[in-house]
Amino acid sequence: MKDTAIKKIRQLGFQWQTQDPFLFCAYHLDDYPEGNESLGPKASLEGRNIGQDFTIKDGWRMYHGSKVPGFPAHPHKGFETVTLVERGLADHSDSLGAAGRFGEGDVQWMTAGKGVMHSEMFPLLNQDKKNPLLLFQLWLNLPKASKNVPPHFKMLWADTIPYHNEVDKNGNKTQIKVIAGQIGETKAPAPNPDSWAADPENHVAIWTIKMDAHAIWTLPATEEGINRSLFFYEGSQLETEGFELPEGHSIDLYSEKEITFVNGDQPAELLFLQGKPINEPVVQHGPFVMNSNQEIHQAIKEFQTTQFGGWPWPNHEPTHPKERGRFAIHADGREEIKD
C-alpha cells in the first residue's frame, strides 16, 4: 500500500495528458457570439488564421473551420473518440453516411476501428444570444485485436446518462455523471461492443464531477494497477493529502488507495478517467494509432487508396439545417430524434 494516493500532478494545457488506455483529452471552451444565417459567428473573422485558428481571440476559436467553427472531414483509425458536449452543439457527418446533432450533455462514442472519415462542426444556432461551447474529446485506444473492427458509433443522450449523488456531513453535494464505469450502485450505459471499456475487467471509467463550494468527497479505491487521472478544470482550489491544488491541474492517482478531496470556496468541475492499461506499443501518426510503424504506413496507404469509403456530403464542413434538433442517423439507416 502506498503512503499517498497521489502519483503525479500536472498543469493542464490545450490537450490534456492522459494515461493508457486513454491517448489524450482535447478540451474546448469557447464563448461563441451570436450566430449568422450560415450558423457561423456573427462577427468579423479578420485577423484569424482561418484553417488553423487555435488562438483564443475575443473568447473563441474557429479551429479548422472556415465559416463555421469546428473540424472539417478528417480520418481516424485504430482507436475510439468519446465526445462529451456539456454546453453547445456538435454536428457530426461521416464517410458511412451517418450524421447527427448532439449536445447540452449528450455524449457520442465512436469506434473508428478499421477507418472512418468524419467531420465535427459547432453550429451557432442562437442568433439573438451567445453560443457557449464546452466540449471534451477523449481518445481511447483499441488493443491490437480490435484495431480493424468495423466503424461504429452510438449516442449516449443526456437523459440516459445516470448521476450518482453524495452529500457530505455539512450538507454539501457532489454530483457525478457516470458516462462509463460504475460508482456505488450507479452504472453507466453500455459502451460500444468492441471498446476496451466493454469488458468490466478493464475498469474503464469516464465521469464528470461537480462539487459544491466546500464539499468533501472521497474517491473510493479499486484494484491495484488501474490508471486513474482527475482533471480539475473549473473552480478555485482543492485540498487533498496536504496539497492545495489550484484550478488548471490534473492528478494521476494510485488506484488501490482511496483519496478525499475538500473543495474551496467556489463550485468545482472535474473530469475523471480510469482504466486498466492495454500495455501494447502505441505508434501514432496524426489520426492513425497502431502498434508499429509498418502498420502506420499501411493505414496511410489504405486511406489514400480508399478514403475510408469516400465522402458522401456536399462539402467537407457540413452542418445540418438550423431548424433540426438533436438527432442521429446511423449507417444502417436507423434514426433517433431527441428534439
Side-chain angles (χ1 to χ4, degrees):
M1 185 73 72
K2 308 290 189 306
D3 292 333
T4 176
I6 298 174
K7 191 186 298 184
K8 185 175 290 186
I9 298 175
R10 296 187 178 95
Q11 189 166 0
L12 297 179
F14 172 62
Q15 289 187 350
W16 296 351
Q17 187 173 339
T18 57
Q19 301 183 82
D20 186 3
F22 295 92
L23 297 163
F24 72 84
C25 173
Y27 170 65
H28 302 280
L29 179 63
D30 292 274
D31 191 22
Y32 288 115
E34 297 84 351
N36 59 29
E37 290 298 325
S38 301
L39 308 187
K42 193 185 294 181
S44 171
L45 300 182
E46 187 177 351
R48 294 182 180 272
N49 183 19
I50 295 301
Q52 290 283 347
D53 181 27
F54 284 79
T55 301
I56 293 180
K57 180 177 183 290
D58 301 325
W60 51 277
R61 298 155 284 197
M62 288 293 288
Y63 300 106
H64 293 308
S66 63
K67 295 180 181 177
V68 175
F71 295 84
H74 57 281
H76 285 189
K77 178 178 170 66
F79 63 101
E80 300 185 284
T81 54
V82 185
T83 307
L84 292 59
V85 185
E86 295 290 283
R87 297 194 289 270
L89 294 164
D91 276 4
H92 166 90
S93 307
D94 69 35
S95 56
L96 305 177
R101 171 171 287 164
F102 61 99
E104 303 300 342
D106 299 327
V107 175
Q108 184 201 61
W109 196 307
M110 190 182 81
T111 305
K114 66 180 181 180
V116 66
M117 285 184 72
H118 77 153
S119 67
E120 304 155 293
M121 307 307 296
F122 309 141
L124 308 184
L125 300 191
N126 299 324
Q127 296 185 353
D128 56 355
K129 61 180 180 180
K130 288 191 170 186
N131 290 272
L133 178 79
L134 172 58
L135 180 153
F136 306 94
Q137 185 170 91
L138 312 172
W139 284 25
L140 175 58
N141 201 9
L142 288 167
K144 185 179 180 66
S146 302
K147 289 289 189 189
N148 289 298
V149 297
H152 173 84
F153 85 85
K154 73 183 300 182
M155 292 305 309
L156 307 182
W157 301 107
D159 61 0
T160 69
I161 302 173
Y163 287 84
H164 173 84
N165 294 302
E166 296 189 17
V167 179
D168 67 22
K169 62 185 180 183
N170 302 314
N172 296 314
K173 190 165 99 171
T174 296
Q175 182 182 69
I176 301 169
K177 183 177 179 179
V178 187
I179 297 159
Q182 182 172 349
I183 180 169
E185 298 300 313
T186 306
K187 189 174 182 180
N192 285 3
D194 292 305
S195 177
W196 185 247
D199 184 348
E201 293 298 312
N202 293 332
H203 295 277
V204 173
I206 302 171
W207 307 340
T208 57
I209 302 165
K210 294 184 178 181
M211 299 179 70
D212 286 351
H214 306 296
I216 302 169
W217 173 65
T218 298
L219 171 65
T222 188
E223 71 176 51
E224 191 172 2
I226 305 301
N227 284 336
R228 307 181 117 179
S229 299
L230 186 71
F231 302 86
F232 178 30
Y233 64 88
E234 190 168 315
S236 55
Q237 71 174 33
L238 290 175
E239 293 183 16
T240 184
E241 298 196 350
F243 290 94
E244 291 186 357
L245 187 75
E247 176 265 346
H249 287 76
S250 69
I251 314 179
D252 293 345
L253 301 167
Y254 291 107
S255 55
E256 67 274 21
K257 189 174 176 64
E258 70 174 26
I259 184 168
T260 297
F261 297 94
V262 180
N263 191 22
D265 59 4
Q266 299 294 321
E269 297 190 20
L270 308 102
L271 174 71
F272 176 71
L273 302 180
Q274 170 185 282
K276 180 180 179 180
I278 295 173
N279 282 333
E280 293 179 354
V282 175
V283 181
Q284 180 178 349
H285 182 82
F288 306 109
V289 181
M290 306 301 289
N291 298 103
S292 69
N293 286 321
Q294 183 180 0
E295 290 170 345
I296 287 288
H297 294 320
Q298 180 61 37
I300 294 170
K301 182 179 178 181
E302 183 182 345
F303 174 63
Q304 290 170 341
T305 303
T306 69
Q307 297 291 291
F308 293 152
W311 190 247
W313 305 95
N315 60 68
H316 280 71
E317 305 181 39
T319 52
H320 306 308
K322 181 180 186 300
E323 61 274 10
R324 288 221 66 167
R326 291 149 58 236
F327 74 97
I329 300 174
H330 297 265
D332 61 4
R334 182 171 55 92
E335 186 165 357
E336 301 173 80
I337 299 175
K338 295 304 292 184
D339 297 329

